[in-house]
Amino acid sequence: MSICSLRKRPFVPIVAEKPDETSSRALAPRLQRARGTGSLTTLQRAGATRLATLYQDGCAKIRLPNTHSPAMEAVLINTAGGLTGGDHMQWSAELAPQGRMVLTTQACERIYRSIGGPATIETRLAVGAGAHLDWLPQETILFAASQLDRRIHIDLAEGASLTAMEAVLLGREAMGEIALDARLRDNWRIHRNGTLIHAEATRLDGTAAERDGLSLLAGRRAFATLLHIAPSADRCAAMLTRLRPLLPQDSRIAASANGERLVVRALASTGLALRRLIVPVLAELSGAGTLPRLWHL
């Protein structure tokens, strides 16, 4: 018989390796996010504006309802039903010279609670020489703890005109929601022939001072900005004269003109009250002479 000797091996403790940040991110679940891109271009045919090209991808859809106007109407639709943190929508349109077009949305855009970063909406519009564009999306509703980063870039050619409107509702009125912690970044840039003619930025950080300040929201939860760019300063001044009788003296709505720009600001306690303020103004400023059917209450 042979006897085998056993040699002792040194004890080596097993230490669990700490995962690095890269591997942690790789293991973290990726949340589904909404992505959408929609664009269109137009041409002039027999004195009316017609569709030239149409592109839609993801949750962005565009529909062209029949109208009895020479202006073309396009309805922008987000089939995702709303946006939350990390979602990204892109809209663009190019209007041919001498054209007439109305861009609106099928319903109010809803911005839901975010668990990481803002939802982003980017809009780029180009208006040809002598053409008129109405940018009339329905209201954006900011839910509690929502975040939105919205950017609007519009290029106007010589003699082009524009009516643009954005309205925001803070929280759901029927639910008694005030959405005090909702956050908004809204940036507008308007150029004519490559020169910046209008710029503004709105920021809401969810503070009581913003909601209650007399120079800010003054306790209101619905607000809107309407911008009209006329072909000339004289026509802009004439438009302001026509608008003044439409502005109720006992409401928080006011208009001012500076050169070719006319700006209307409105505040209201509810979305319905806000619509009653701005609908007569929009009807007057609209190049089509009327609002889209989707806007009628």
Side-chain angles (χ1 to χ4, degrees):
M1 293 180 63
S2 63
I3 299 175
C4 297
S5 62
L6 298 176
R7 291 182 299 173
K8 293 183 178 181
R9 296 182 180 179
F11 174 74
V12 178
I14 300 176
V15 179
E17 294 184 1
K18 187 176 181 179
D20 58 19
E21 293 184 1
T22 303
S23 60
S24 298
R25 286 196 298 266
L27 294 174
R30 297 188 63 182
L31 301 178
Q32 184 176 5
R33 290 295 178 241
R35 297 286 186 270
T37 302
S39 65
L40 60 87
T41 64
T42 73
L43 53 80
Q44 290 299 106
R45 180 182 298 156
T49 303
R50 297 288 183 258
L51 180 68
T53 64
L54 174 66
Y55 176 83
Q56 50 191 18
D57 181 64
C59 61
K61 307 299 179 189
I62 302 176
R63 297 295 180 262
L64 307 173
N66 293 325
T67 65
H68 300 286
S69 167
M72 189 179 81
E73 183 176 318
V75 179
L76 311 181
I77 304 170
N78 172 16
T79 59
L83 299 173
T84 186
D87 294 346
H88 194 177
M89 296 291 294
Q90 293 177 295
W91 301 107
S92 63
E94 184 175 339
L95 180 58
Q98 307 303 319
R100 296 289 183 272
M101 182 164 63
V102 180
L103 292 173
T104 188
T105 56
Q106 184 185 41
C108 296
E109 185 64 273
R110 293 165 174 80
I111 311 300
Y112 297 116
R113 177 185 299 271
S114 171
I115 59 173
T120 302
I121 303 177
E122 294 183 88
T123 302
R124 291 188 173 273
L125 308 171
V127 187
H132 179 86
L133 174 67
D134 287 332
W135 170 251
L136 305 177
Q138 298 193 60
E139 298 91 340
T140 297
I141 304 175
L142 299 181
F143 284 53
S146 62
Q147 298 182 44
L148 174 62
D149 182 359
R150 183 168 59 195
R151 306 160 204 163
I152 302 174
H153 300 267
I154 304 177
D155 294 308
L156 304 174
E158 189 66 33
S161 57
L162 166 75
T163 296
M165 192 281 307
E166 288 287 357
V168 175
L169 308 182
L170 298 168
R172 296 165 292 179
E173 180 186 353
M175 302 294 292
E177 185 179 75
I178 61 174
L180 182 60
D181 51 359
R183 296 174 179 269
L184 171 69
R185 299 289 185 275
D186 193 16
N187 289 277
W188 297 27
R189 297 293 183 271
I190 317 294
H191 294 79
R192 189 188 292 281
N193 293 329
T195 300
L196 182 67
I197 61 173
H198 181 81
E200 66 174 79
T202 299
R203 185 180 72 182
L204 290 179
D205 285 327
T207 64
E210 291 173 343
R211 297 298 183 89
D212 300 327
L214 292 177
S215 61
L216 298 173
L217 293 179
R220 272 64 173 184
R221 55 176 296 275
F223 60 94
T225 296
L226 289 73
L227 172 66
H228 180 72
I229 306 293
S232 66
D234 291 341
R235 292 179 64 176
C236 185
M239 181 63 75
L240 179 60
T241 302
R242 290 162 50 188
L243 281 186
R244 289 204 183 280
L246 302 177
L247 308 180
Q249 297 298 318
D250 58 346
S251 299
R252 286 188 171 266
I253 184 170
S256 63
N258 183 0
E260 60 189 321
R261 298 176 300 146
L262 188 157
V263 180
V264 180
R265 313 277 188 187
L267 290 174
S269 298
T270 66
L272 180 58
L274 183 66
R275 279 212 175 195
R276 287 173 174 164
L277 286 177
I278 64 177
V279 162
V281 177
L282 287 175
E284 187 68 31
L285 295 176
S286 171
T290 184
L291 293 181
R293 270 181 291 178
L294 291 168
W295 260 89
H296 292 292
L297 297 174

